[in-house]
Amino acid sequence: MLMYLKAFHIIAVICWFAGIFYLPRLFVYHAMSDDVISQERFVVMERKLYRGIMNPAMMLTWLLGLSMVVMNWDIYKTQGWLHAKIILVILLTVYHVVCGKFRLKLMANHAYKSHVYWRWFNEIPVFILIGVVLLVVIKPF
């Protein structure tokens, strides 16, 4: 059972990160768009990505990950790498929520932030991903 949970957890993480990487990229294009038709198209794309893919993937990631921890609490409770990973996942969740708030602000005003801002904003989850992967694979503490 644990291996199924782990496999589906990894699938959920991949889906979540795909959305986390793509949504700010849509913000870049949205901020660069000049015509109403394009702006409306980006609003729809961003909403479907956030609600239809990112939210379910985030919830599954948390559900499956916590299920594995609960099932093996005696092992995981002393694993420092897991505690650090959970902190990074909390930071990723905060980033996710901030993306949702930015999505709503962009919907109201496509020039809310510049495309350059969104390009830099898009880099934040890369560092979280690097940290999570290093912690899970190397288990340094």
Side-chain angles (χ1 to χ4, degrees), residues 28 98 102 112-122 124:
V28 170
V98 168
F102 280 156
Y112 168 65
K113 301 263 187 196
S114 75
H115 67 93
V116 175
Y117 174 87
W118 298 121
R119 289 176 198 278
W120 283 105
F121 180 74
N122 193 34
I124 295 169

Side-chain angles (χ1 to χ4, degrees), residues 49-65:
L49 177 62
Y50 190 77
R51 290 184 180 173
I53 296 172
M54 291 172 62
N55 282 345
M58 178 189 65
M59 288 184 255
L60 276 173
T61 297
W62 273 103
L63 177 71
L64 296 168

Side-chain angles (χ1 to χ4, degrees), residues 40-59:
E40 289 173 353
R41 184 179 307 120
F42 285 119
V43 166
V44 171
M45 291 171 69
E46 292 158 2
R47 178 181 48 81
K48 287 183 177 184
L49 177 62
Y50 190 77
R51 290 184 180 173
I53 296 172
M54 291 172 62
N55 282 345
M58 178 189 65
M59 288 184 255

